[in-house]
Amino acid sequence: MVNTVSFKKKPRSNGDATTHANGESKWSFQFSLTDLKSIKQNKEGMGWSYLVFCLKDDVILPALHFHHGDSKLLIVSLEKYVVLCESPQDKRILLVNCQNKSLSQSFENLLDEPTYGLIQKLKKDPYTATMGGFSKVTNYIFDSLRGSDPSTQQRPPSEMADFLSDAIPGLKINQQEEPGFEVITRIDLGKRPDIIRREPVSAEEWIKNMDSEGRILDADSIKQMIFKGGLCHALRKEVWKFLLGYFPWHSTREERTNLQKRKTDEYFKMKLQWKSVTDEQEKRNSRLRDYKSLIEKDVNRTDRTNKFYEGQDNPGLILLHDILMTYCMYDFDLGYVQGMSDLLSPVLYVMENEVDAFWCFVSYMDQMHENFEEQMQGMKTQLIQLSTLLRLLDSGFCSYLESQDSGYLYFCFRWLLIRFKREFSFQDILRLWEVMWTELPCQNFHLLICCAILESEKQQIMDKHYGFNEILKHINELSMKIDVEDILCKAEAISIQMMNCKELPQAVGEVLGMETSAVTTPDSDTGEDESVTVMSRSASTYQNLSMPVTAANGTRENAQQMAVTHSAQRLTPT
């Protein structure tokens, strides 16, 4: 039985095995009908039909969704093997009274297949090779991209995202079990405001926010201005060091100078480590050879159209190579992974200094480290979180993506891995990254940027009935065609909607760094119950600083913001 909510492909028969068209398996479960206690059906008129099976030991299995109806047909098939009757307490629940001699048949025989053979089909996989049998609920997913047989790959490689083929084996998106989706689909996020972005922060504004010793007077205010407008290019070399955590916000000018001296010595000591490795030593160090070889390949194809890196024997390319090799000495366990050169390139371009670029890159990699680890836990978590946010914003679009085998949101993989580096122009990436580095207006703002892009493309994807290949191709072809300011406005507007939502699902609040209490307290004046929302520091900072918003009718209004107190506050615009 396939749990279709978990974004799996429809099965097809292949001899004695149930597989997908491209050879990938699915989430599945198996149980004997002798263990079946009851079946719960959906409420009439509440979305597509589903069935939930409850076993005699009170194990509740994941819901089976029937996007095109026909759940009654399965009930009819079940009645060949068991006696079903309505529960006196709830007509939606069918109680099982097993009296049929065919009860010894396993559940999968209801699919009219002679044998299931799933373990035999997957015997080559190390994970399942040692399995002696199924438990009552056994979850599998094997990414088809791991398959060693090219004949099973029915999707042209040219349509796959650059890193998708080898960077995230075994992704599992564990959807919340039914009936959570019903509650989410009824939540009204309210009217989405139109956002006005400001001009980039100027050198004059930056200097005014600094005392005579070089301390930043109001870091929160500066971050807010950067979030709303970015930085003029002349400031980036200095301000990025603060945004990335290389320079402490409270440090003096003298303290920063001393820090740079220490970090310069530390950098060149690490650089000397790989520079002094002899050819004989390198022959006996396979990992260092592999790192060096991959770095050389990637450096030669990173941003070569940018003047900073174009041409042969370009000094920029040499610095790019040396910094990445030195990073291998800094974090030899991680070393170098494809994609890291994309993250370093804009940083080096802005810093124009080897040492400063290295330490800023180290700080950036501290944020991105999990993306590049072997288990790819950071990528898995972000795809799950993105799915949670997108389902709240548009459950219908999520359902469409699932129906087209795109519910895993694989097409967003490159966006998340290298923070949209290949989706926007080089100059737009500088703007986008500095906005995201403010950590405003909430945690995981980059996921709201993903939502904003997908929402912009939703109409075309659905109107033209794009399938898996078409969706992936369409998303890849968006590269260099996305308006960064428009997307930032949409993402900020979505964040305001969610932060103002009093019925925000807990899972969404956790993704955005907002913990919503289920306890309601009466307002002293109105007597009305209002839920309490506790926001992360980044969210509360954003809420408590002035934020110009344009209403849908074009007039400027103060944005109504939620605070830790029970009542909302109106903020004064700049």
Side-chain angles (χ1 to χ4, degrees):
M1 306 295 300
V2 183
N3 176 5
T4 57
V5 160
S6 292
F7 306 167
K8 300 299 171 292
K9 291 176 66 62
K10 297 178 181 178
R12 67 182 178 91
S13 175
N14 181 16
D16 64 348
T18 299
T19 66
H20 294 303
N22 65 350
E24 84 175 23
S25 67
K26 60 188 180 300
W27 290 98
S28 62
F29 57 80
Q30 175 187 21
F31 61 89
S32 171
L33 288 181
T34 56
D35 293 328
L36 186 59
K37 177 182 178 181
S38 65
I39 304 172
K40 182 178 180 180
Q41 305 173 86
N42 62 297
K43 292 181 181 180
E44 291 186 5
M46 295 302 296
W48 54 66
S49 59
Y50 67 84
L51 299 176
V52 178
F53 297 92
C54 179
L55 306 186
K56 289 180 179 178
D57 54 0
D58 293 328
V59 170
I60 299 176
L61 301 176
L64 297 180
H65 291 261
F66 297 79
H67 293 252
H68 303 292
D70 295 336
S71 63
K72 298 296 183 184
L73 295 179
L74 179 56
I75 298 296
V76 171
S77 296
L78 283 170
E79 289 178 333
K80 297 176 183 178
Y81 304 93
V82 296
V83 177
L84 301 176
C85 57
E86 286 185 358
S87 168
Q89 288 78 27
D90 190 341
K91 292 183 179 180
R92 291 190 300 153
I93 297 178
L94 299 176
L95 301 178
V96 178
N97 181 14
C98 298
Q99 297 177 352
N100 193 294
K101 65 180 181 180
S102 302
L103 290 177
S104 60
Q105 285 188 281
S106 57
F107 192 76
E108 73 275 5
N109 290 125
L110 301 182
L111 296 176
D112 295 325
E113 295 291 342
T115 55
Y116 209 62
L118 185 57
I119 292 183
Q120 182 180 356
K121 173 63 181 178
L122 299 172
K123 64 184 178 181
K124 293 182 180 180
D125 191 289
Y127 180 74
T128 57
T130 58
M131 293 183 63
F134 288 101
S135 62
K136 287 184 177 175
V137 181
T138 303
N139 291 335
Y140 304 78
I141 175 168
F142 297 92
D143 190 342
S144 61
L145 300 173
R146 295 175 64 187
S148 58
D149 182 3
S151 66
T152 65
Q153 306 296 324
Q154 297 188 359
R155 294 156 190 159
S158 61
E159 295 183 2
M160 307 307 290
D162 287 357
F163 302 107
L164 190 55
S165 61
D166 58 4
I168 188 165
L171 172 67
K172 300 179 182 180
I173 293 185
N174 300 316
Q175 292 300 101
Q176 291 185 351
E177 292 183 6
E178 182 57 38
F181 84 95
E182 290 186 359
V183 177
I184 292 177
T185 54
R186 287 189 233 151
I187 291 177
D188 181 11
L189 290 176
K191 192 174 183 179
R192 183 177 298 180
D194 292 333
I195 301 297
I196 295 178
R197 289 185 57 76
R198 54 158 285 160
E199 291 297 314
V201 177
S202 65
E204 291 75 18
E205 289 174 307
W206 174 253
I207 293 171
K208 285 180 181 177
N209 215 296
M210 191 178 290
D211 67 15
S212 58
E213 293 184 331
R215 293 187 187 87
I216 306 302
L217 298 174
D218 190 346
D220 288 340
S221 176
I222 284 290
K223 289 180 184 178
Q224 176 70 12
M225 290 190 290
I226 296 171
F227 173 76
K228 294 296 294 182
L231 294 160
C232 68
H233 188 70
L235 280 179
R236 284 179 172 139
K237 184 181 296 187
E238 181 177 4
V239 182
W240 276 25
K241 298 183 181 77
F242 290 91
L243 289 173
L244 285 167
Y246 177 33
F247 285 170
W249 287 95
H250 60 273
S251 60
T252 64
R253 196 175 290 106
E254 183 180 357
E255 288 170 342
R256 294 193 290 271
T257 299
N258 293 333
L259 174 65
Q260 283 179 301
K261 289 179 180 178
R262 294 196 307 272
K263 290 297 185 180
T264 299
D265 291 341
E266 189 176 344
Y267 173 78
F268 283 107
K269 285 179 182 178
M270 288 187 289
K271 183 174 182 178
L272 185 62
Q273 290 175 348
W274 65 268
K275 279 281 193 180
S276 59
V277 172
T278 66
D279 292 340
E280 288 298 318
Q281 286 178 305
E282 190 173 309
K283 289 178 181 179
R284 294 187 294 272
N285 193 330
S286 61
R287 290 184 67 187
L288 184 62
R289 288 199 311 271
D290 291 343
Y291 291 155
K292 184 177 180 180
S293 174
L294 189 55
I295 288 171
E296 288 173 352
K297 289 178 182 177
D298 280 3
V299 163
N300 286 326
R301 58 191 181 194
T302 299
D303 293 323
R304 297 306 302 274
T305 57
N306 188 303
K307 289 185 178 180
F308 193 80
Y309 300 109
E310 69 180 3
Q312 297 297 322
D313 300 321
N314 187 299
L317 292 179
I318 297 172
L319 290 179
L320 201 63
H321 170 274
D322 288 0
I323 291 172
L324 291 172
M325 283 298 298
T326 306
Y327 186 81
C328 291
M329 298 296 105
Y330 175 84
D331 188 347
F332 200 81
D333 287 341
L334 179 63
Y336 178 79
V337 181
Q338 186 181 18
M340 288 166 58
S341 62
D342 281 287
L343 297 183
L344 173 59
S345 172
V347 175
L348 178 58
Y349 170 82
V350 167
M351 293 300 146
E352 298 180 308
N353 176 279
E354 182 177 2
V355 175
D356 289 341
F358 173 81
W359 290 110
C360 285
F361 177 66
V362 165
S363 297
Y364 198 10
M365 282 302 300
D366 287 345
Q367 302 175 27
M368 305 290 289
H369 200 281
E370 285 191 338
N371 282 15
F372 296 95
E373 291 172 359
E374 186 176 359
Q375 299 302 317
M376 303 298 291
Q377 188 55 50
M379 294 301 302
K380 297 174 188 177
T381 299
Q382 289 173 87
L383 288 170
I384 293 168
Q385 292 173 333
L386 177 56
S387 175
T388 299
L389 296 175
L390 192 61
R391 184 166 295 280
L392 173 63
L393 284 173
D394 197 329
S395 60
F397 185 39
C398 279
S399 297
Y400 177 82
L401 293 175
E402 292 166 24
S403 71
Q404 302 302 321
D405 307 311
S406 299
Y408 279 117
L409 307 178
Y410 276 141
F411 46 82
C412 298
F413 180 87
R414 189 175 67 189
W415 298 358
L416 300 174
L417 182 68
I418 51 176
R419 286 295 191 271
F420 310 100
K421 169 63 167 54
R422 299 191 184 180
E423 318 314 317
F424 293 89
S425 69
F426 197 87
Q427 291 302 318
D428 283 350
I429 275 296
L430 306 184
R431 170 76 70 244
L432 184 66
W433 282 6
E434 64 199 15
V435 167
M436 292 193 296
W437 289 338
T438 66
E439 299 182 339
L440 296 175
C442 56
Q443 291 180 14
N444 292 309
F445 182 65
H446 67 287
L447 298 181
L448 297 183
I449 292 173
C450 293
C451 289
I453 298 173
L454 292 176
E455 190 177 72
S456 299
E457 302 305 317
K458 165 195 165 182
Q459 202 68 35
Q460 182 171 345
I461 290 172
M462 295 184 71
D463 286 352
K464 294 187 177 181
H465 307 291
Y466 284 168
F468 179 93
N469 286 348
E470 292 83 7
I471 292 173
L472 189 54
K473 184 173 185 292
H474 176 73
I475 294 299
N476 284 339
E477 289 177 350
L478 292 177
S479 179
M480 305 301 160
K481 299 176 183 176
I482 307 172
D483 186 321
V484 68
E485 294 294 331
D486 178 60
I487 290 301
L488 284 172
C489 286
K490 288 181 179 178
E492 184 182 352
I494 292 171
S495 73
I496 293 173
Q497 277 187 299
M498 291 188 174
M499 286 190 285
N500 284 343
C501 179
K502 296 181 180 180
E503 298 179 334
L504 196 68
Q506 182 179 354
V508 174
E510 289 173 354
V511 172
L512 301 181
M514 297 181 287
E515 183 179 351
T516 303
S517 172
V519 180
T520 57
T521 56
D523 184 272
S524 58
D525 296 325
T526 64
E528 297 178 352
D529 289 351
E530 296 191 12
S531 60
V532 181
T533 300
V534 180
M535 287 174 278
S536 66
R537 185 178 185 278
S538 60
S540 60
T541 298
Y542 173 79
Q543 295 278 20
N544 288 300
L545 289 169
S546 53
M547 180 176 59
V549 177
T550 299
N553 61 7
T555 60
R556 295 188 65 172
E557 297 178 353
N558 296 330
Q560 193 173 37
Q561 304 297 328
M562 294 181 66
V564 176
T565 56
H566 301 316
S567 58
Q569 298 177 339
R570 284 198 174 273
L571 306 178
T572 305
T574 52

